[in-house]
Amino acid sequence: MNRKLTLLAVSVASVLGLSVIPNAQAATNTETLAKAIAKQEAEITILKQQLATLAAEQKQQQQQNKQVATQVDTVVQQTTKAQDRLSRFSFNSYGSAVYTSDEYFDNVQDTSAERRSRTDLERIVTEFGYQFTDDWSMEVEIEYEHGGTGTSLEYDGFDEFGEFESEVEAGGEVVVEKAEIRYRPSKAFGVKFGNIHLPIGLSSMLHKPNQYLTVQRHKSEAAMMPTVWNENGIGVYGEIADFHYQAQVVSGLNSEYFRTYDWVASGHQKRFEEVNADDLAFAGRIDYGNFKTGSAVGVAYYYGNTSGNRHKSNKLDVDGALSIVSVAGAFVEGPWILRGQYLYGSLDNADAITQANKTTPGLRPGTFAQLGSESQSFFVEAGVKLDEWFDIPMTVFANIDYSNPLMAVETGTATKRYENTWSSVGINYFPIPEIVIKAEGGLHQVAVASIPDTNFFALGVGYQFSL
């Protein structure tokens, strides 16, 4: 466009220049002068038209530039909004795979152990979170266990006697470990509801591979209650100074699945599409400090009836009230790591529950052993980070796990066959901060003289990351 304007200017100058050049013949020749003037006027008219065209083109170009600028602003705004939405989204994942070699007994009467080696893709967990506003957020956690798709179990209440029907699809399962919506207007107070983690047991807080020292999660907790325990319910939580508190009302356990070897752990209602909620439960916890980031001490309490959630409710006409108390502590300072937990529980009418479970159609428990009216377990783990003195990202540790789901019974004498102690030493090696490689070897002891001590060895690898 600038080039066209330049050419026009040159043409105008040329035309104007003609008027000042002396031309005696043009001055004396009126006809020639008239033709020259007419020619100049025609050229000027053409120049005016070209100027008008150029002005129109310039105006159009300005409008187009304005439209482009508007479109750019729109794209920038949309990009900013997309970036804002993306910044509100979070994704975390962790997982572990293990190899174990241990000696096992075929049944509780067996006294000759046999060695068995196994591999297991324990779990792959994905966590999705979204911050709707400053106060409202959500989090969904999905766990893929043992590389399978799960075992389903249905209760057919229309059968003549009521039957439990099992369908095995694969050796593992896919479960929703958490699906909660949170409202937290302040640091001191928040509300969460949906499928939430119960604050009973340290495994509910320290369940990622880099948060516990042993190759597998602590056996003592798994032998007494559900680990990483989740239920449908509502809870309040918050932080005041260095104190953290939680209080929840959640769905309770089902005593139809209580078993001698893991007490109430199998009563977790994750076998069915729907969860019976005739009996609710209360769970509460208060900690001083933070177990996830360092040193802390805390206590937790769970209480709930378990009889009302049975499918065959006519098999039991007494309450199965369950209480669990947890006391835990952690000292994490410099290279030193020390954690421990003690669990104690009591179950009302344990003998009546035992008898009802023996005669429930469809369960086929075989020789159903007596349930404990009291149960206890504890663990202590201690570790030292070697990178404090050497250029080695490694932690060495020692661990003791103890469980006795038959601490006491309502009638008779409790057998010691289910009283177990696991003692071990091992290492955690971190080639990079997000990956840990573990090795552990130890001794398994049963509190029965005729049962020999056995040895176990385990290898594991785990990862964790956040986006």
Side-chain angles (χ1 to χ4, degrees):
M1 181 181 293
N2 291 334
R3 185 177 178 183
K4 291 181 178 179
L5 290 173
T6 301
L7 293 175
L8 286 172
V10 171
S11 300
V12 171
S14 301
V15 172
L16 293 176
L18 293 175
S19 63
V20 297
I21 298 175
N23 193 330
Q25 184 178 357
T28 59
N29 193 337
T30 305
E31 183 179 352
T32 302
L33 181 61
K35 291 181 178 179
I37 293 172
K39 182 179 179 181
Q40 291 178 7
E41 289 177 348
E43 291 176 347
I44 291 172
T45 301
I46 293 173
L47 290 174
K48 287 181 179 180
Q49 292 175 349
Q50 291 177 344
L51 285 173
T53 302
L54 289 174
E57 291 178 352
Q58 186 176 22
K59 184 176 181 180
Q60 183 179 5
Q61 185 66 41
Q62 290 175 346
Q63 292 177 345
Q64 290 177 349
N65 291 340
K66 186 176 181 181
Q67 291 175 353
V68 170
T70 302
Q71 292 174 353
V72 170
D73 290 341
T74 302
V75 171
V76 170
Q77 292 175 1
Q78 292 175 346
T79 302
T80 302
K81 290 180 180 180
Q83 291 176 341
D84 178 64
R85 287 194 295 268
L86 184 61
S87 67
R88 294 174 179 271
F89 175 80
S90 64
F91 176 79
N92 307 309
S93 180
Y94 68 90
S96 60
V98 301
Y99 163 84
T100 58
S101 176
D102 52 15
E103 297 174 279
Y104 72 100
F105 301 93
D106 283 333
N107 50 59
V108 292
Q109 288 80 32
D110 187 12
T111 58
S112 299
E114 297 182 26
R115 181 162 293 279
R116 173 62 60 86
S117 297
R118 303 177 179 89
T119 61
D120 182 19
L121 180 60
E122 276 193 307
R123 60 185 59 87
I124 298 293
V125 180
T126 55
E127 300 175 350
F128 305 89
Y130 191 78
Q131 191 77 32
F132 297 104
T133 66
D134 291 341
D135 298 337
W136 288 94
S137 64
M138 65 160 293
E139 185 175 345
V140 176
E141 182 175 315
I142 301 174
E143 179 169 339
Y144 308 84
E145 295 182 353
H146 312 297
T149 56
T151 301
S152 61
L153 184 64
E154 296 181 355
Y155 176 75
D156 185 4
F158 293 95
D159 187 87
E160 184 178 358
F161 299 102
E163 293 290 341
F164 292 87
E165 299 176 353
S166 179
E167 180 181 352
V168 178
E169 298 172 355
E173 60 182 356
V174 178
V175 295
V176 176
E177 287 255 315
K178 181 195 293 184
E180 64 182 31
I181 294 177
R182 295 185 291 254
Y183 172 68
R184 193 173 188 180
S186 69
K187 190 176 182 180
F189 176 77
V191 181
K192 56 184 175 182
F193 45 89
N195 191 270
I196 59 180
H197 282 169
L198 273 64
I200 311 298
L202 283 182
S203 291
S204 291
M205 294 179 286
L206 306 177
H207 49 265
K208 298 180 180 179
N210 65 332
Q211 294 177 328
Y212 53 90
L213 298 175
T214 49
V215 171
Q216 297 172 295
R217 292 171 180 169
H218 289 283
K219 297 179 175 67
S220 57
E221 191 171 311
M224 181 172 169
M225 60 179 231
T227 56
V228 194
W229 193 350
N230 63 315
E231 298 283 1
N232 297 323
I234 185 171
V236 297
Y237 66 103
E239 179 182 349
I240 302 175
D242 289 330
F243 289 92
H244 299 76
Y245 71 89
Q246 296 188 61
Q248 303 172 352
V249 176
V250 296
S251 52
L253 299 177
N254 180 350
S255 63
E256 273 168 323
Y257 291 94
F258 291 174
R259 294 294 182 266
T260 306
Y261 53 86
D262 62 359
W263 204 46
V264 302
S266 297
H268 190 198
Q269 295 190 72
K270 61 180 183 179
R271 295 172 174 83
F272 299 90
E273 295 179 354
E274 296 179 336
V275 173
N276 293 334
D278 294 283
D279 281 337
L280 300 178
F282 168 81
R285 183 179 192 94
I286 184 167
D287 295 329
Y288 179 75
N290 192 326
F291 281 98
K292 289 186 176 181
T293 59
S295 302
V297 293
V299 295
Y301 178 68
Y302 174 93
Y303 178 83
N305 192 15
T306 61
S307 298
N309 293 330
R310 297 173 68 93
H311 289 278
K312 298 291 291 184
S313 57
N314 62 332
K315 303 294 293 185
L316 188 67
D317 58 1
V318 296
D319 288 341
L322 170 66
S323 298
I324 300 176
V325 178
S326 167
V327 180
F331 174 79
V332 181
E333 190 70 32
W336 308 104
I337 301 171
L338 179 64
R339 297 189 189 95
Q341 173 180 262
Y342 174 76
L343 292 167
Y344 169 80
S346 64
L347 177 65
D348 291 349
N349 298 304
D351 282 355
I353 296 173
T354 301
Q355 186 60 37
N357 289 353
K358 280 183 178 181
T359 57
T360 297
L363 291 180
R364 302 183 181 91
T367 304
F368 195 91
Q370 189 174 17
L371 289 172
S373 59
E374 296 180 56
S375 175
Q376 68 174 349
S377 70
F378 71 82
F379 80 83
V380 177
E381 64 176 11
V384 181
K385 299 178 181 178
L386 299 183
D387 55 3
E388 183 76 9
W389 302 281
F390 309 101
D391 188 21
I392 303 176
M394 181 182 294
T395 300
V396 296
F397 72 90
N399 177 77
I400 296 177
D401 268 278
Y402 168 86
S403 72
N404 186 6
L406 278 174
M407 177 183 175
V409 293
E410 286 187 346
T411 58
T413 303
T415 177
K416 298 289 187 179
R417 181 61 182 82
Y418 301 97
E419 186 177 350
N420 296 282
T421 302
W422 298 268
S423 307
S424 64
V425 294
I427 60 171
N428 288 190
Y429 173 67
F430 293 85
I432 60 175
E434 295 84 3
I435 294 177
V436 59
I437 300 172
K438 300 183 178 185
E440 180 183 9
L443 183 69
H444 176 205
Q445 298 170 294
V446 180
V448 176
S450 60
I451 303 296
D453 296 344
T454 60
N455 300 300
F456 65 90
F457 175 73
L459 291 172
V461 60
Y463 77 90
Q464 60 281 321
F465 69 85
S466 301
L467 297 180

